[in-house]
DNA sequence: TTAAAATTTGAATCACCCG
DNA sequence: GCGGGTGATTCAAATTTTA
């Protein structure tokens, strides 16, 4: 499945592969403005002091790997500054980034994102339904992690599949707090000894929501701290291309095997609920041109308080106002704006019918006979 | 109720009073190592641009007060550095601080806390049960704010009333995410015109949990951004002493009146703080995200007459229909409504199993570990 | 008087295309 | 790049009004 396509000038993107080595060097080897989304789960700089034991004296298998050790905040900040700089260079102008962390590192990442000109869109809380309890009763159960979602710069046109996320949430808009279980059971990858292959493997459900919400099929997703490849696996399932970067050979090996066993969902399943904004624009005048409404015909406001006349050029005229369906509606309601399509009705057989019904008819025809 | 006690050397603490003026000057006028807990709700530096209207065209009453305006991140950082420095000087060696903020400012506060040698104990997420929605469908509903709880330094013996919090949480240890409603109704203070007295009044339930958890009766609690005095009111109710600092005379006036009407150990108010637990809603999309059902998988109607496919966003697609599990079921049966949970089954080992079984599984998980 | 329906409101970095 | 026109967009809870 490895591919080298979507070349940008002289350099091609190593799509659907895992690069080895230092993530900053690897990122700098890729062409600028070439990535749609970055998901980054960097070392958390945990600063654990000594071992932690449960009440039964069993030892907690803490994250004490060498890669998570930084000598100081300054060292961690330098690392953060460098990889975020490399990441920003890679992003397309309308690309975006997600970073995930805990209170140990997320404030430093968030501040650095802002310092570099990234524009924060949301912070999203992953609320774990089954976190590890606080065994000593000295603090609150650490039951969440924080993600930051940011565009490359202020004003960028980031991807946000609002309707798809709303559908995922059964018709209510998605909030900034996501309740999802941690990665356990069959999904949790094991090494040859049967121990967990990676200490902080993220659940696929988390990446599913991130990728459905902020990418489209065919987008290129980069994960500079690939680990055992959750980002790549979910990207592949969802029909996105991925690039992983991972320093540790053991993690790369587990990820390669995982990806080989991952299958893309079928095409139909990848279609998601689309926004109305994606529908083709229909000028109101077309209803008049097509004879669906006649010049001189009356339109009635949704609240029944206003009556206006259609003119031959597709504008409306009322007692003291004329203009487009939107302008006249806004003026009559004293509102800053008005969607004329849903505001006005015409009379058919004595009954009021919203003019939006006529727009639907035209759109249906367009779908049948494109052009 | 004003008192001047607990003198420290030559300087006495102005207990249970509201100091006027700039919070940094006021803090510097107080004796060092004298405060048990600081709760700080500083300006968030929202940087709002134009107006925002709801879909019904009503205008959102934005937080555009002069006190929330900063010229740059650098200016905001300088402000943060200065007040956190002054605050740290005031704290007793075993004292602690809480700060609250949103993604606009909380990362900068968190980083500065760490830089100054404060030791972060938890970040706590206030999940709002009734947040303002995202009206334009451009981002996730901003449904939470973040609090950081930190001791004066690493190794300090901070106060944590584990058992009291566990009791507040129906016998389960308190987690780092708190579901509480925003401040509305009778609790929301009004000015002479009947408008809200302060744009960002915090709910007493939030402060109740903070003060029960991290102070003891008789402790001195300082709030350098006192506003309309929620911290003071809850402190008084709980038998803690408070010191407030507030720049705006209008807020001080409202707070003084509020405090005069507040009584210690107000049973009724304590009841209010107990949060209601609602029946958990499980969106169908979560079954897809969690991998319990896979995009592309078939669902079968209870009568065996219909077969549809699951999509990645948790909607269904049939021959000529798509939508939620409920919408598609209703359409296929020609019914006005349909409970998709009981209407659809999936196949497991060749046998049809109602999807409601999967919902029961998730509900069971949630019931095991409530909140 | 009571229940139901309608209205109000909340720390918000909240369009996009075309000429 | 700028200005103007089109037209898409909300959830929970408290309060007020209507039936």
């Amino acid at each position: 499945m490895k591919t080298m396509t979507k070349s940008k000038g002289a350099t091609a993107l190593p799509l659907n592969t895992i690069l080895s080595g230092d993530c900053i060097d690897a990122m700098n080897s890729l062409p600028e403005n070439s990535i749609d989304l970055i998901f980054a789960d960097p070392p958390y700089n945990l600063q654990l002091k000594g071992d932690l034991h449960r009440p039964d004296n069993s030892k907690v298998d803490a994250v004490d790997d060498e890669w998570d050790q930084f000598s100081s905040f300054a060292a961690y900040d330098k690392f953060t500054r460098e990889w975020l700089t490399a990441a920003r260079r890679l992003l397309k102008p309308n690309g975006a980034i997600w970073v995930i962390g805990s209170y140990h590192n997320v404030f430093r990442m968030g501040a650095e994102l802002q310092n570099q000109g990234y524009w924060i869109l949301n912070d999203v809380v992953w609320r774990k339904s089954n976190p590890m309890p606080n065994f000593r009763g000295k603090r609150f159960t650490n039951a969440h992690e924080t993600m930051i979602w940011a565009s490359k710069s202020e004003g960028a046109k980031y991807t946000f599949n609002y309707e798809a996320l709303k559908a995922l949430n059964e018709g209510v808009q998605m909030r900034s707090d996501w309740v999802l279980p941690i990665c356990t059971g069959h999904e949790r990858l094991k090494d040859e000894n049967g121990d967990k292959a990676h200490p902080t493997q993220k659940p696929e459900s988390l990446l599913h929501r991130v990728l459905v919400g902020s990418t489209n099929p065919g987008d290129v997703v980069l994960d500079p701290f690939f680990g055992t490849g959750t980002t790549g696996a979910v990207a592949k399932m969802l029909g996105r291309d991925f690039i992983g970067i991972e320093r540790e050979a053991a993690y790369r090996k587990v990820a390669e095997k995982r990806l080989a066993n991952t299958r893309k969902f079928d095409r139909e399943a990848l279609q998601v609920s689309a926004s109305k904004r994606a529908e083709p624009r229909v000028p109101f005048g077309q209803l008049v041109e097509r004879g669906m409404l006649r010049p001189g015909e009356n339109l009635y406001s949704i609240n029944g308080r206003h009556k206006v006349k259609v003119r031959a050029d597709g504008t409306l005229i009322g007692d003291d106002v004329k203009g487009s369906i939107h302008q006249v509606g806004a003026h009559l309601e004293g509102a800053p704006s008005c969607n004329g399509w849903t505001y006005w009705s015409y009379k058919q057989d004595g009954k009021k019918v919203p003019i939006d019904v006529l727009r639907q008819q035209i759109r249906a025809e367009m779908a049948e006979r494109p052009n």
Side-chain angles (χ1 to χ4, degrees), chain A:
Chain A
M1 121 154 227
K2 289 183 190 178
T3 47
M4 295 281 278
T5 63
K6 307 199 184 183
S7 65
K8 188 87 178 177
T11 324
L13 282 180
L15 293 182
N16 306 309
T17 58
I18 308 174
L19 308 179
S20 60
D22 173 73
C23 82
I24 295 165
D25 295 340
M27 282 196 273
N28 287 336
S29 76
L30 297 173
E32 62 178 1
N33 301 323
S34 61
I35 302 290
D36 294 291
L37 190 83
I38 295 175
F39 183 89
D41 181 13
Y44 282 19
N45 188 27
L46 283 184
Q47 312 166 36
L48 297 177
K49 302 284 182 231
D51 291 339
L52 178 64
H53 291 85
R54 297 189 178 84
D56 64 2
N57 269 327
S58 62
K59 183 172 168 245
V60 172
D61 187 14
V63 178
D64 56 1
D65 306 70
E66 178 269 328
W67 52 255
D68 198 45
Q69 307 299 314
F70 289 87
S71 56
S72 65
F73 284 129
Y76 191 80
D77 289 345
K78 177 171 182 286
F79 163 73
T80 302
R81 193 159 51 243
E82 289 176 357
W83 78 257
L84 280 175
T85 301
R88 191 149 184 269
R89 179 186 148 268
L90 292 183
L91 282 179
K92 292 180 184 172
N94 293 330
I97 190 171
W98 287 81
V99 300
I100 181 168
S102 67
Y103 65 80
H104 305 89
N105 69 327
V106 78
F107 305 123
R108 316 201 78 84
M109 288 199 295
E112 183 59 23
L113 279 165
Q114 292 177 313
N115 291 344
Q116 293 199 11
Y118 287 97
W119 193 247
I120 298 182
L121 300 167
N122 278 110
D123 60 334
V124 171
V125 170
W126 169 29
R127 194 265 185 194
K128 303 177 187 181
S129 52
N130 48 351
M132 190 185 337
N134 186 288
F135 296 112
R136 288 180 173 164
K138 293 299 187 189
R139 301 182 184 192
F140 298 96
T141 308
N142 222 317
H144 75 277
E145 290 184 30
T146 301
M147 296 188 287
I148 304 172
W149 174 41
S151 60
K152 185 169 180 175
S153 56
E154 185 181 357
K157 292 188 190 104
Y158 55 91
T159 297
F160 184 55
N161 294 318
Y162 176 77
E163 292 294 341
L165 288 166
K166 191 173 171 179
L168 261 183
N169 200 31
E170 215 157 78
V172 182
Q173 66 176 205
M174 191 70 81
R175 301 168 35 121
S176 60
D177 55 329
W178 301 357
V179 181
L180 294 170
I182 60 175
C183 184
T184 57
H186 291 301
E187 191 185 324
R188 189 79 198 226
L189 298 169
K190 304 289 194 296
D191 62 17
E192 303 83 359
N193 307 320
D195 299 324
K196 56 192 179 191
H198 192 282
T200 64
Q201 186 184 339
K202 296 293 174 288
E204 295 186 359
S205 56
L206 194 74
L207 271 295
H208 182 99
R209 198 173 285 186
V210 165
L211 295 184
V212 165
S214 57
T215 63
N216 292 311
D219 278 4
V220 178
V221 180
L222 170 73
D223 186 337
F225 307 96
F226 202 61
T228 48
T230 305
T231 302
V234 178
K236 184 174 178 184
M237 285 191 274
L238 289 173
R240 279 70 168 163
D241 288 314
F242 70 86
I243 299 171
I245 304 173
E246 177 52 50
R247 213 172 69 172
E248 308 285 329
Y251 298 156
R252 286 200 303 273
K253 189 179 163 190
V254 174
E256 293 282 12
K257 185 177 166 194
R258 174 187 200 172
L259 288 160
N261 292 323
T262 301
R263 293 284 164 271
K264 182 178 167 179
F265 298 139
D266 61 50
R267 194 184 49 80
E268 211 175 16
L270 294 182
Q271 303 287 323
V272 297
S273 310
S275 161
K276 278 188 194 168
R277 283 181 256 253
E279 302 264 327
R281 206 176 70 85
V282 177
F284 175 74
Q286 208 166 112
L287 273 54
V288 185
E289 289 172 344
R290 291 185 174 210
M292 298 167 106
L293 291 174
R294 290 181 324 277
E297 190 166 352
N298 288 323
L299 295 189
Y300 305 87
S301 69
I302 193 167
N303 52 28
R305 277 202 278 270
H306 302 287
K307 187 176 84 170
V308 296
K309 254 190 183 62
V310 175
R311 300 201 296 182
D313 64 353
T315 58
L316 305 182
I317 183 159
D319 286 338
D320 62 341
V321 58
K322 55 190 173 186
S324 72
I325 53 173
H326 314 296
Q327 290 167 331
V328 173
H331 178 264
L332 292 173
E333 295 299 322
S337 70
C338 171
N339 183 344
W341 290 106
T342 52
Y343 182 75
W344 297 108
S345 294
Y346 69 105
K347 277 203 181 157
Q348 189 171 43
D349 307 326
K351 290 171 78 172
K352 282 187 193 170
V353 180
I355 59 173
D356 205 28
V357 169
L358 302 174
R359 183 170 64 159
Q360 305 294 352
Q361 284 176 23
I362 293 179
R363 282 187 175 156
E365 278 175 38
M366 293 168 79
E368 265 174 51
R369 274 192 299 269
N371 300 337

